[in-house]
């Protein structure tokens, strides 16, 4: 199968959906001729024109609000939020307006829009350009949240997001834009709420999201050399969450680590861990472990920044401790 | 497209719509005072000429966004009493199946994209609605209602900038009722409100919001021009709310005097003024007007009676409508 970058995959998904449905448009800062700072959208304005690839002033709440109104009246905006860190600026329009439109109107109105943004540290960008804030929006009923872990997921989830009749926030890992993966030439969609078993295993379950899927896969390789067979699962969307697949794996292996790049406290890892505790408790041989980003603002210095994100070695080490039974006493 | 209001029927409908708003509000206030209504509500009484003057210049396919003080906009855009009272009381037959209440009434069938409990929260939505019209080559116009207090929100300046850059068919309608909650406008708004719009190159007008014909004539002109791509426009409508900020704001002399309230009610009431004009011009007789008033009163009484007896939504509705295309958001997983 051909291999393309995550960036190309997103570009293809957008182009295909814009060709299929002329109500789809892109709006954000420097999305047209510049094709975004990450060059993900290069070429789209040439095909679709500035009427559908719309450059805005630097006014995140403004263009987010505009997108909500446009979505409510019959279009499907894809809002380009240059950095995930800027989510704080659009919170009212996203969480008070878009997320609640369908509910507050008793199902009479809806806001089918996509916010495409990013997450991920270790780009030496410091605390305001490195955050992974998907837990913030996953907390809000009415929003769906997708976390692609490779070019393949980036394409399939984006196409599903655009066709969804709800507001969807999709976070791309900005360190993976140039990473290649096999992506079929023919059209495909990835349904929301279907986890992907990236690597089958029997001894321990590693649940990883977005950037942390690769980390878990590398940890599984390390562990395999030591005779520990880890199962790696990528939920792909955290809202909706494919609980069934996660619980089945937890029941099978009886040990689980949840790895996610958002801050550990009050985050995605805690949510998934507690669902497993509540629903698979009697199948577990050890407490479910959370591994998130360190609870500090992301520091600039490489010497410090690298300490804040889970690594394959750290995940492998935690797995060894769980396997050894040490954690039973620690709990 | 809206025609110039030159005939009797149009004048009488404008009058009736203003009386319908006043009657709706008086009835809603009674519901609150008799503890029959859950929560609080913000009365539009006194400002009727604004909503009616503007909405009578619109067609059903033109859209509006509304505010926490939104009953007037809703009635003026064509909503029915029954579904409105049902919504205020949290009943199943309300416009939003009881999920929105007074501050979130929406009536998308008549082009009302909804009230909003976030001050200034709908400025983006209105601008986006106008963006859709432009993108899809339709000639409908969107009116964004908001208060003087909302002009302090940064969102307004972000979206006016974009609307002006892209010539969107949107009219920003600032209802300046002199107060933002319990604070006089002079204390929260520096400089001129219309000049802020003008700074973006947006044509702005200040108009007497108690004069329904003045509001309507100006709006008709602006709507026609917005349809031709000459928008956006900005209106500052000078008006007054008769009640407190919300129905529970009873003792309010610490921020505005009874004399001031009396002066607006006695000398500048939009309904009394227009009624006098209708009689003077021979459009309607006192008797005909009294008959209209009585009929509207009767309508409201019947609607409220119906709503009081209507069903609440079933408990199973609590997790419905969280997501489009998912019947119950909390349906047990297959695990
Ligand atoms: C963002 C936000 N801040 C504060 C409030 C509380 N609040 C509700 S109405 C209001 C005053 C609004 O004044 P104005 O815009 O002039 O509208 P009016 O009530 O006079 O119609 C305030 C402060 C709110 N609902 N939303
Ligand atoms: Mg006010």
């Amino acid at each position: 199968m051909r291999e393309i970058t995550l960036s190309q995959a997103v570009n293809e998904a957008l182009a295909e959906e814009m060709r299929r449905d002329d109500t789809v448009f892109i709006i954000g800062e420097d999305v047209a001729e510049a094709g975004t700072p990450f060059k993900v959208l290069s070429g789209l304005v040439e095909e679709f024109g500035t009427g559908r690839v719309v450059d805005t002033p630097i006014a995140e709440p403004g263009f987010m609000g505009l997108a909500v109104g446009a979505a409510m009246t019959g279009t499907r905006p894809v809002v380009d939020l240059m950095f995930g860190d800027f989510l704080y600026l659009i919170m009212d329009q996203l969480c008070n307006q878009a997320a609640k439109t369908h509910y507050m109107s008793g199902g009479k109105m809806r806001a089918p829009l996509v916010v495409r943004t990013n997450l991920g540290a270790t780009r030496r960008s410091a605390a305001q350009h490195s955050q992974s804030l998907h837990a913030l929006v996953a907390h809000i009923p009415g929003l769906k949240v997708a976390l692609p872990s490779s070019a393949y997921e980036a394409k399939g989830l984006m196409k599903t997001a655009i066709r969804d009749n709800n507001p969807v926030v999709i976070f791309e890992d900005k360190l993976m834009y140039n990473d290649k993966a096999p992506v079929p030439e023919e059209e495909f969609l990835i349904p929301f709420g279907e986890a992907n078993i990236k690597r089958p295993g029997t001894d321990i379950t590693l649940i990883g999201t977005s950037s942390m899927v690769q980390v878990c896969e590398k940890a599984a390789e390390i562990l395999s050399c030591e005779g520990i067979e880890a199962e790696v699962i990528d939920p792909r969307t955290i809202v909706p969450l494919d609980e069934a697949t996660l619980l089945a794996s937890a029941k099978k292996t009886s040990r689980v680590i949840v790895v996610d790049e958002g801050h550990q406290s009050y985050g995605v890892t805690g949510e998934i861990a507690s669902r497993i505790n509540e629903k698979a408790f009697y199948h577990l041989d050890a407490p479910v472990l959370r591994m998130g980003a360190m609870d500090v603002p992301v520091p600039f210095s490489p010497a410090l920044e690298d300490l804040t994100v889970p690594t394959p070695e750290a995940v492998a080490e935690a797995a060894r401790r769980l396997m050894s039974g040490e954690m039973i006493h620690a709990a | 497209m809206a025609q110039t209001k030159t005939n009797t029927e149009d004048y009488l409908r404008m009058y009736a719509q203003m009386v319908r708003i006043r009657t709706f509000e008086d009835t809603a206030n009674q519901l609150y005072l008799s503890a029959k209504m859950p929560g609080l509500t913000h009365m539009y009484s006194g400002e009727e000429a604004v909503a009616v003057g503007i909405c009578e210049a619109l067609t059903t396919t033109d859209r509006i966004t509304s505010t926490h003080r939104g009953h007037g906009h809703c009635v003026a855009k064509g909503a029915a009493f029954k579904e409105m009272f049902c919504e205020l009381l949290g009943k199943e037959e309300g416009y939003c199946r009881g999920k929105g209440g007074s501050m979130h009434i929406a009536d998308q069938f008549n082009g009302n994209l909804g009230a909003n409990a976030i001050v200034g929260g709908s400025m983006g939505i209105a601008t986006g609605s106008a963006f859709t019209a432009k993108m899809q080559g339709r000639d409908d116009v969107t009116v964004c209602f908001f208060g003087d207090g909302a002009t302090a929100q940064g969102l307004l300046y972000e979206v006016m900038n974009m609307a002006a850059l892209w010539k969107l068919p949107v009219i920003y309608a600032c209802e300046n009722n002199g107060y933002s909650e319990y604070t006089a406008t002079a204390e929260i708004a520096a400089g001129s409100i219309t000049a802020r719009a003008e700074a973006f190159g947006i044509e702005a007008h200040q108009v007497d919001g108690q004069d329904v014909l003045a509001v309507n004539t100006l709006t008709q002109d602006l709507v026609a021009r917005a349809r031709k791509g000459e928008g956006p426009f900005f209106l500052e409508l000078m008006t007054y709310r008769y009640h407190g900020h919300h129905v529970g704001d009873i003792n309010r002399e610490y921020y505005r005097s009874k004399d001031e309230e009396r002066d607006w009610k006695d000398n500048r009431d939009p309904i009394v003024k227009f009624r006098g004009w209708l009689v003077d011009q021979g459009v309607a007789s006192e008797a005909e007007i009294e008959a209209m008033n009585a009929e509207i009163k009767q309508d409201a009484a019947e609607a409220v009676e119906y709503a009081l007896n209507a069903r609440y939504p079933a408990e199973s509705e609590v997790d419905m409508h969280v997501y489009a295309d998912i019947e119950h958001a909390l349906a047990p997983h297959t695990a």
Side-chain angles (χ1 to χ4, degrees):
Chain A
M1 199 186 295
R2 64 158 186 167
E3 297 207 338
I4 57 172
T5 64
L6 190 143
S7 181
Q8 287 171 310
V10 172
N11 189 299
E12 275 189 11
L14 289 165
E16 286 175 19
E17 292 307 300
M18 288 175 81
R19 274 174 218 136
R20 187 187 60 81
D21 178 351
D22 63 14
T23 68
V24 178
F25 71 97
I26 298 171
I27 184 162
E29 293 154 17
D30 281 325
V31 292
E33 286 77 10
T36 79
F38 296 100
K39 304 294 167 206
V40 175
L41 307 183
S42 297
L44 294 180
V45 73
E46 283 76 6
E47 178 172 356
F48 300 102
T50 50
R52 290 179 70 197
V53 185
V54 184
D55 269 343
T56 65
I58 306 164
E60 287 81 4
F63 64 73
M64 181 66 219
L66 188 152
V68 180
M72 287 167 66
T73 50
T75 68
R76 289 182 180 270
V78 178
V79 177
D80 193 287
L81 189 68
M82 194 184 287
F83 283 88
D85 310 71
F86 307 160
L87 268 172
Y88 300 124
L89 284 98
I90 64 162
M91 282 310 246
D92 180 58
Q93 294 303 313
L94 180 61
C95 302
N96 269 329
Q97 310 298 339
K100 295 173 175 50
T101 296
H102 192 255
Y103 193 79
M104 289 197 309
S105 68
K108 289 190 181 149
M109 295 193 297
R110 55 188 205 193
L113 59 88
V114 177
V115 176
R116 78 161 274 276
T117 190
N118 51 40
L119 55 67
T122 71
R123 209 167 152 266
R124 315 316 179 203
S125 308
Q128 295 174 340
H129 285 74
S130 306
Q131 296 167 87
S132 300
L133 298 178
H134 44 294
L136 288 187
V137 285
H139 189 64
I140 310 304
L143 301 178
K144 295 187 179 181
V145 183
L147 301 175
S149 58
S150 81
Y152 174 74
E153 280 81 14
K155 182 165 182 188
L157 292 173
M158 178 60 77
K159 286 172 68 85
T160 303
I162 291 171
R163 296 185 196 190
D164 200 286
N165 286 324
N166 296 283
V168 178
V169 190
I170 184 159
F171 291 84
E172 293 151 11
D173 177 4
K174 56 180 139 9
L175 282 101
M176 289 192 334
Y177 280 128
N178 294 321
D179 290 2
K180 288 192 169 183
V183 177
E185 307 246 13
E186 53 283 3
E187 180 169 53
F188 70 99
L189 283 89
I190 299 177
F192 283 1
E194 278 190 22
N196 180 26
I197 301 178
K198 292 287 282 191
R199 176 188 175 114
T202 48
D203 301 329
I204 185 166
T205 301
L206 306 178
I207 298 169
T209 59
S210 177
S211 49
M212 294 296 111
V213 175
Q214 281 182 15
V215 167
C216 290
E217 285 182 294
K218 285 181 191 147
E221 278 165 33
I222 299 171
L223 292 167
S224 179
C225 300
E226 301 167 17
I228 298 171
E229 290 310 326
E231 179 148 289
V232 177
I233 305 184
D234 172 10
R236 299 200 288 204
T237 54
I238 52 172
V239 184
L241 182 69
D242 179 1
E243 255 182 34
T245 300
L246 305 184
L247 290 173
S249 180
K251 289 175 183 173
K252 180 175 77 175
T253 64
S254 75
R255 290 176 178 84
V256 183
I257 304 177
V258 192
V259 194
D260 175 85
E261 208 180 329
H263 292 300
Q264 181 164 304
S265 292
Y266 302 96
V268 171
T269 54
E271 176 63 27
I272 294 178
S274 78
R275 292 203 202 188
I276 293 170
N277 277 330
E278 283 168 16
K279 295 176 184 173
F281 183 75
Y282 293 105
H283 300 263
L284 297 176
D285 286 336
V288 180
L289 275 197
R290 297 168 301 148
M291 294 184 78
M294 198 182 275
D295 291 325
V296 297
V298 179
F300 167 69
S301 172
L304 301 176
E305 186 178 27
D306 290 346
L307 302 174
T308 66
V309 181
T311 59
E313 294 71 27
V315 174
E317 180 52 25
R320 285 184 207 106
R321 287 168 62 210
L322 275 193
M323 295 302 297
S324 73
E326 184 191 322
M327 289 304 296
I328 294 173
H329 306 294
Chain B
M1 250 198 266
Q3 305 287 311
T4 312
K5 305 285 179 212
T6 47
N7 60 54
T8 305
E9 211 177 287
D10 291 332
Y11 290 138
L12 291 181
R13 196 176 54 246
M14 274 201 263
Y15 176 79
Q17 286 290 65
M18 290 204 288
V19 175
R20 275 165 54 80
I21 294 171
R22 182 75 57 87
T23 310
F24 183 90
E25 296 298 50
D26 288 345
T27 314
N29 196 35
Q30 283 310 312
L31 283 176
Y32 170 76
L33 293 173
S34 57
K36 288 181 181 143
M37 188 179 68
L40 288 172
T41 185
H42 307 80
M43 303 274 95
Y44 197 74
S45 309
E47 307 189 17
E48 293 87 351
V50 174
V52 172
I54 289 177
C55 291
E56 283 293 310
L58 303 175
T59 65
T60 307
T61 49
D62 291 321
R63 290 177 292 264
I64 63 165
T65 61
S66 166
T67 68
H68 58 285
R69 195 176 303 290
H71 305 162
H73 312 135
C74 195
V75 170
K77 198 69 178 65
F81 279 175
K82 197 172 92 178
E83 285 85 347
M84 284 185 71
F85 280 122
C86 280
E87 191 57 38
L88 257 62
L89 295 173
K91 301 299 178 75
E92 184 186 22
E93 287 174 76
Y95 272 112
C96 310
R97 301 190 70 80
K99 284 194 161 101
S102 163
M103 283 201 289
H104 299 292
I105 291 193
D107 170 19
Q108 92 292 358
F109 178 79
N110 285 305
N112 179 357
L113 297 177
N116 212 302
I118 304 298
V119 168
S122 64
M123 292 159 170
I125 294 171
T127 310
S129 165
F131 184 91
T132 295
K134 172 141 197 206
M135 181 177 166
Q136 302 190 337
R138 304 201 306 243
D139 78 348
D140 51 69
V141 169
T142 305
V143 174
C144 178
F145 287 103
F146 56 91
D148 47 286
T151 63
Q153 286 284 357
L155 184 62
L156 176 62
Y157 307 96
E158 298 193 359
V159 297
M160 282 204 300
N161 186 32
M162 285 185 272
L165 283 168
W166 304 336
K167 298 200 182 330
L168 300 182
V170 56
I171 298 173
Y172 298 101
C174 176
E175 305 179 300
N176 188 344
N177 60 12
Y179 295 89
S180 152
E181 240 175 36
Y182 318 114
T183 305
T185 310
E187 292 173 43
I188 55 98
S192 143
I193 286 177
T194 48
R196 299 178 188 187
E198 284 162 355
F200 293 99
I202 296 176
E203 183 180 314
H205 299 264
Q206 197 185 66
V207 57
D208 178 0
Q210 306 308 88
D211 180 346
V212 71
L213 289 180
V215 174
N216 183 254
T217 307
L218 177 58
T219 311
Q220 282 194 55
D221 174 52
L222 299 183
V223 167
R225 289 170 57 201
R227 288 195 208 289
K228 288 190 288 182
E230 293 175 30
F233 296 104
F234 190 99
L235 287 175
E236 183 184 12
L237 303 118
M238 310 312 283
T239 186
Y240 200 76
R241 64 163 155 80
Y242 287 175
H243 293 258
H245 170 59
H246 56 62
V247 283
D249 173 24
I250 309 283
N251 298 316
R252 48 183 182 269
E253 278 178 90
Y254 69 94
Y255 73 87
R256 70 178 204 190
S257 70
K258 288 206 161 119
D259 282 349
E260 179 187 296
E261 295 186 0
R262 209 169 301 119
D263 181 46
W264 279 85
K265 287 182 191 171
D266 290 352
N267 302 316
R268 302 184 62 178
D269 183 79
I271 297 176
V272 171
K273 248 172 102 167
F274 192 49
R275 176 184 174 145
W277 186 87
L278 290 174
V279 174
D280 281 353
Q281 300 291 311
V283 179
S285 67
E286 286 286 351
E288 283 164 339
I289 284 177
E290 283 305 325
M292 275 169 80
N293 291 356
E295 193 186 326
I296 291 166
K297 220 171 177 171
Q298 179 66 22
D299 272 4
E302 281 170 19
V304 84
E305 192 56 26
Y306 182 91
L308 284 165
N309 294 313
R311 267 201 319 261
Y312 283 111
E315 286 185 4
S316 63
E317 288 216 24
V318 71
D319 72 337
M320 290 176 79
H321 314 119
V322 181
Y323 293 97
D325 308 325
I326 297 177
E327 184 142 354
H328 289 280
L330 305 182
H333 290 263
T334 44

